[in-house]
Amino acid sequence: MTETMYPEVPVLVVGGGSVGLLTAALLTHHGVPAVLVERRSGPSVHPRATGIGPRTVEILRELGLDTAVDAAAVDLRGAAGKAVARTVVEMGAGDVVTVPMPTPSADELDVTPFRLRGVCAQDRLDAVVAADLARRGADLRWSTRLVGIAQDTDGVDVELEGPDGRYSLRCTRVVAADGTHSTVRTALGVGTSGPGDLGKSMINILFRADLRPHLRGMSFATCTITTPEAPGLLATVDGETNWVFHVHCDVDGGERPEDFTHERCAAVVRLAVGDPDLDVEVRSVLAWRPRSAAAESFAVGRVFLVGDAAHTVSPLGAFGLNTGVADAHNLAWKLAAVHHGEAGAGLLETYAHEREPVAAATLDQAMRRLADPALHWGRGPEADAARAAAGVWAAPVVHLGQRYASAAIVDPRPELPSTVDLVLDGSPGSRVPHAWIDGVSTLDLVASRWTLLVGVAGDRWLTAAADVGLPAHRVAVPWLADEGALLVRPDGIVAMRATASATDPARFLTKVLDQVLARPVPVPRT
């Protein structure tokens, strides 16, 4: 075995899926040199998710990638969100039941600065992020897997195996984004809790076939195919020639995932489409099973779990990928603050304190939707009443409305004002409300840094912000008192709200920052 000791790196990201790539992108964005290792030879060509939620879009906007991802998305404006038909041929002939893409209410349209025009399959998202990382000169090591990990009080030693053999790497910290069956989580001895596997085993068939002649101009996000010969769920990748089809694998009946050869999968697709002569190219076949589980701890010493390594979310609701991206967003700025000497190591403890309750709530919401998908798709007073009876939150609340309570928040308000309506009111622990200020969103004003937003009569706050080196902006909004101020974290979360000016605003802000950043308290000289 050839071993080469590389210089210490601040952060090693294990796993090059969407969450791992975005973790590396966010660390790079915050000026932290990171190494990413992935056992595959490049980003996956097989999408496992297509729904990118509004909070993830905001994070992509923060990285400057929102327009590129929007260009990669399928334009589904005015299209069906979901459809039900016997076959694709019959769907195109008009024998179809459709549910429109969810139309945001006027209030929902006012809560975020940018929305994608439709769905963006995970492989297309990954291609955008990986290309941007390459342009930035990020250290991406494909065809490299982790084979050993051990940590001490000062760092983490990992053993990697790449194209040129095995070597060791000394890291300050490690982020595990290596999926449901995380090698890192297993090596750390971290167990999982929750229902575990749900329902039947599934086969995800990625295929290329031109369905446009059969669709006759119809477009959709997903379509439930009901023909008894090949029932399943068809999902768009590009809306034209690239698709995924999910079918059951009857394990109880003796089927095995390996029985689904490319030839058999092509035959299944032809039956589902309703065209025995369809030209089908099966590109990839993946076995999977719905699952709901969470790691017993999201952080162990210098190692942090994100994405599916931390929690596996059942698919209805499109919460899984988006919850993982929110993990990365929460963690990256904290790692950067500690790396740059702006915060104490205690700040990193707030990652698990904040993300574990959010993940638990999200897993619960996804599970509640399984029994009746209409609880997710329904709109109007009747649907709201059904959700309330089932304890189901409206999807925008799950994506944007959850709140943090930790030492990185002053006087947090973790209770949700509503589970029916999304309420963003500037409460500590919530995502800062979006408002246009001279054509710029308040989210854009934050710009990945600590930022003070002050009311229209907040002159003393502005002066204090300049004294302590904080960017500050005066905003006239209903959720901020005229003499008040909001201190917003780099991840857009409100860390502190003041309704009036402090006696000594500069000293007050310094004390708040010392607290939320876990800065060491200076020892008075004697």
Side-chain angles (χ1 to χ4, degrees):
M1 179 179 71
T2 301
E3 293 190 2
T4 304
M5 182 63 72
Y6 282 73
E8 181 177 281
V9 298
V11 182
L12 174 71
V13 179
V14 182
S18 300
V19 173
L21 287 168
L22 280 165
T23 301
L26 286 161
L27 288 167
T28 301
H29 178 69
H30 284 290
V32 179
V35 173
L36 181 146
V37 296
E38 165 57 46
R39 58 182 177 79
R40 295 174 306 211
S41 60
S44 175
V45 299
H46 200 135
R48 292 169 173 81
T50 59
I52 298 180
R55 187 59 177 140
T56 299
V57 174
E58 292 174 356
I59 294 167
L60 293 168
R61 182 180 176 88
E62 184 179 335
L63 292 169
L65 298 177
D66 51 339
T67 55
V69 173
D70 191 49
V74 180
D75 190 350
L76 290 180
R77 291 170 292 188
K82 61 182 293 188
V84 180
R86 189 174 183 277
T87 65
V88 173
V89 169
E90 292 170 68
M91 182 194 324
D95 189 5
V96 60
V97 176
T98 61
V99 177
M101 285 292 289
T103 302
S105 66
D107 290 340
E108 290 175 17
L109 287 172
D110 288 338
V111 302
T112 192
F114 185 79
R115 291 180 180 273
L116 296 183
R117 57 184 180 163
V119 298
C120 182
Q122 201 169 355
D123 62 318
R124 297 161 79 86
L125 168 66
D126 292 357
V128 171
V129 179
D132 186 70
L133 280 167
R135 284 193 295 270
R136 295 172 182 267
D139 191 346
L140 307 180
R141 303 185 187 182
W142 305 105
S143 302
T144 301
R145 66 187 184 98
L146 182 141
V147 294
I149 182 169
Q151 62 176 316
D152 53 43
T153 57
D154 299 319
V156 186
D157 292 306
V158 299
E159 186 174 7
L160 305 171
E161 185 173 61
D164 298 323
R166 291 194 176 190
Y167 60 95
S168 298
L169 193 66
R170 177 73 170 174
C171 315
T172 305
R173 291 177 176 86
V174 171
V175 179
D178 54 344
T180 300
H181 305 291
S182 169
T183 299
V184 175
R185 188 186 67 227
T186 300
L188 294 174
V190 176
T192 61
S193 61
D197 290 337
L198 307 166
K200 297 180 178 180
S201 296
M202 305 289 294
I203 301 296
N204 182 334
I205 305 167
L206 174 66
F207 69 95
R208 183 179 288 116
D210 190 354
L211 301 187
R212 288 172 292 185
H214 296 310
L215 289 171
R216 302 179 190 178
M218 184 177 179
S219 57
F220 57 86
T222 65
C223 180
T224 299
I225 300 295
T226 62
T227 177
E229 297 175 304
L233 183 70
L234 180 67
T236 183
V237 174
D238 66 5
E240 296 179 349
T241 60
N242 288 280
W243 310 85
V244 291
F245 189 49
H246 298 268
V247 296
H248 288 121
C249 176
D250 186 8
V251 176
D252 293 337
E255 282 188 330
R256 303 170 302 165
E258 52 266 34
D259 295 334
F260 286 82
T261 63
H262 281 212
E263 292 75 15
R264 178 180 176 184
C265 288
V268 168
V269 168
R270 292 188 182 99
L271 290 170
V273 173
D275 179 357
D277 299 318
L278 183 70
D279 183 12
V280 179
E281 177 194 350
V282 175
R283 300 176 57 201
S284 177
V285 179
L286 290 180
W288 69 284
R289 190 171 182 180
R291 183 173 174 80
S292 180
E296 293 174 351
S297 176
F298 286 13
V300 178
R302 292 175 171 267
V303 182
F304 304 85
L305 308 181
V306 298
D308 285 352
H311 44 73
T312 307
V313 186
S314 55
L316 185 58
F319 300 139
L321 167 64
N322 296 292
T323 304
V325 174
D327 295 338
H329 193 234
N330 182 287
L331 179 61
W333 76 268
K334 295 174 180 178
L335 289 170
V338 174
H339 171 73
H340 295 306
E342 300 164 354
L347 175 65
L348 298 177
E349 297 176 6
T350 67
Y351 167 68
H353 294 163
E354 293 181 351
R355 293 305 301 167
E356 286 177 3
V358 169
T362 303
L363 264 67
D364 175 69
Q365 286 301 306
M367 285 292 295
R368 289 174 186 268
R369 285 162 162 77
L370 277 181
D372 183 4
L375 293 170
H376 178 70
W377 286 93
R379 292 293 183 270
E382 290 185 4
D384 288 343
R387 275 190 284 270
V392 171
W393 304 350
V397 177
V398 182
H399 282 290
L400 288 168
Q402 299 198 57
R403 301 181 173 201
Y404 295 149
S406 76
I409 308 289
V410 176
D411 295 328
R413 300 288 186 270
E415 61 281 353
L416 294 179
S418 172
T419 60
V420 175
D421 299 310
L422 175 63
V423 178
L424 295 170
D425 57 6
S427 293
S430 66
R431 197 270 272 151
V432 65
H434 155 69
W436 294 112
I437 307 298
D438 296 328
V440 179
S441 170
T442 46
L443 294 171
D444 298 333
L445 293 177
V446 174
S448 309
R449 59 192 177 176
W450 285 94
T451 302
L452 194 69
L453 302 180
V454 308
V456 293
D459 290 356
R460 297 185 68 219
W461 287 115
L462 290 175
T463 300
D467 290 343
V468 300
L470 276 178
H473 303 275
R474 192 193 307 270
V475 297
V477 290
W479 37 266
L480 183 54
D482 289 353
E483 295 185 359
L486 291 186
L487 181 62
V488 186
R489 304 187 327 189
D491 58 352
I493 300 299
V494 177
M496 180 279 300
R497 175 168 60 184
T499 57
S501 180
T503 303
D504 186 341
R507 183 181 179 188
F508 176 82
L509 289 173
T510 299
K511 289 181 65 176
V512 168
L513 287 168
D514 285 344
Q515 173 188 326
V516 299
L517 289 171
R519 291 173 176 169
V521 178
V523 178
R525 293 183 179 181
T526 57

